[in-house]
Amino acid sequence: MIENLIYITNKNTDALIDILFGFYLDGDAIDRQQIERELMDLGKKHQLGGSNELVQRLRKLAADRGL
């Protein structure tokens, strides 16, 4: 899903983040877990650093909003 979003947004980071945050914050716990798994898998697949930090920030953002 996330790789498709990267392609659809034509690597526009701001648009990608806005869409990702929207999906993450509007989804239920299962949706959030799926997004977290995909981010971590994508980070491993492409050897990107920071995927764990991004997941932690998303979790904090959700917790701040009472999700």
Side-chain angles (χ1 to χ4, degrees):
M1 175 183 107
I2 294 172
E3 284 185 284
N4 290 337
L5 282 175
I6 293 169
Y7 178 75
I8 290 168
T9 58
N10 197 23
K11 299 182 183 177
N12 181 331
T13 306
D14 292 336
L16 176 64
I17 295 301
D18 287 344
I19 293 168
L20 183 63
F21 279 177
F23 280 135
Y24 190 82
L25 295 175
D26 288 341
D28 59 15
I30 294 172
D31 292 335
R32 289 192 293 276
Q33 288 175 349
Q34 179 63 32
I35 290 171
E36 291 171 2
R37 271 189 246 112
E38 285 194 41
L39 285 171
M40 288 192 259
D41 290 346
L42 190 61
K44 289 177 188 173
K45 178 180 177 182
H46 295 284
Q47 299 177 349
L48 304 171
S51 60
N52 289 336
E53 290 175 11
L54 178 57
V55 167
Q56 292 303 319
R57 288 184 183 195
L58 285 171
R59 287 178 180 167
K60 184 180 180 328
L61 182 63
D64 290 348
R65 295 190 181 202
L67 301 175

